[in-house]
Amino acid sequence: MATNFLVHEKVWFDKFKYDDAERKFYEQMNGPVAGSSRQENGASVILRDIARARENIQKSLAGSSGPGASSGPSGDHSELVIRIASLEVENQSLRGVVQDLQQAVSKLEARLSALEKTSPAHRATAPQTQHVSPMRQVEPPSRKAATATEDDEDDDIDLFGSDEEEDKEAARLREERLRQYAEKKAKKPALVAKSSILLDVKPWDDETDMAQLEACVRSIQLDGLTWGGSKLVPVGYGIRKLQIQCVVEDDKVGTDLLEEEITKFEEHVQSVDIAAFNKI
């Protein structure tokens, strides 16, 4: 089946004829072009060779399947053999080029590895050339003798005794500074916590003498208590209450003590309330 199909197929084998005809037509229309015509000629030659090879294969297949198989043309067969031989020569030359390239790459890799191996040793030995020991100067004998005597004097020094003296001196300075700090802190006045209290002192009725009630309240004198301003505030039905301000020291006077002292005036005072309490 395959040989019969190749026998009847003629389009591909005749392609070079159509390519040549098309090339000649365009050359006649546009004029010959040097570079492109050469490339086209090379391509057409290769295509022609391929077409001839296929044609020879087709003829050989047709000859082997037909009655006249023994009488096939030998010229095309020899040309095909020559072409195959030339292709093998080109293949061998290309293989030689590839081998040369591989050898060149291997040489470059070996050279690069050698450079990498030698570079760390160069870096390690390079700093040694930078450090140049200066020439020693010969000291005079007198200076050497003086140095020897100084060394002997240093040997006579008691290092442990000097450390103990330094420790005692440091302890004395520390104690002196602590004492000065304590005295300075003692002289500094301590902050006293104080509070501002607004008291509402209510009478029994509207007939109570409010001036006498205020005098009774202000008559209370305690350590850490200072009375401030006062005013009469109407409550209702003609009754007014005494609203008085005072400042107390929290450690000395408390609100319970104030209420207890004010309510001792039972003839004038009905009750005492704290209207406001603020820290100072």
Side-chain angles (χ1 to χ4, degrees), residues 24-73:
K24 290 179 181 179
F25 173 74
Y26 282 113
E27 285 181 356
Q28 292 176 1
M29 293 293 294
N30 300 326
V33 180
S36 62
S37 63
R38 289 177 182 176
Q39 293 178 358
E40 290 177 357
N41 288 332
S44 62
V45 169
I46 293 171
L47 292 174
R48 190 182 299 111
D49 293 338
I50 294 171
R52 286 179 181 177
R54 294 191 66 179
E55 187 175 1
N56 291 330
I57 293 169
Q58 183 182 8
K59 288 179 180 179
S60 63
L61 292 173
S64 62
S65 61
S70 61
S71 64

Side-chain angles (χ1 to χ4, degrees), residues 202-207 232-241 270:
K202 298 177 183 178
W204 289 102
D205 50 24
D206 57 348
E207 296 180 357
L232 297 176
V233 179
V235 178
Y237 303 103
I239 301 173
R240 294 179 299 173
K241 64 179 179 180
Q270 177 188 3

Side-chain angles (χ1 to χ4, degrees), residues 19 34 51 68 76 127 154 186 196 208-209 238 246 265 269:
D19 292 337
D76 294 337
D154 293 337
S196 175
T208 302
D209 189 358
C246 67
F265 302 101
V269 178

Side-chain angles (χ1 to χ4, degrees), residues 5 7 22 36 43 49 137 148 168 182 226 240 247 249 275:
F5 178 75
V7 166
E22 185 178 2
S36 62
D49 293 338
Q137 296 180 357
K168 291 179 181 179
T226 303
R240 294 179 299 173
V247 177
E249 295 181 9

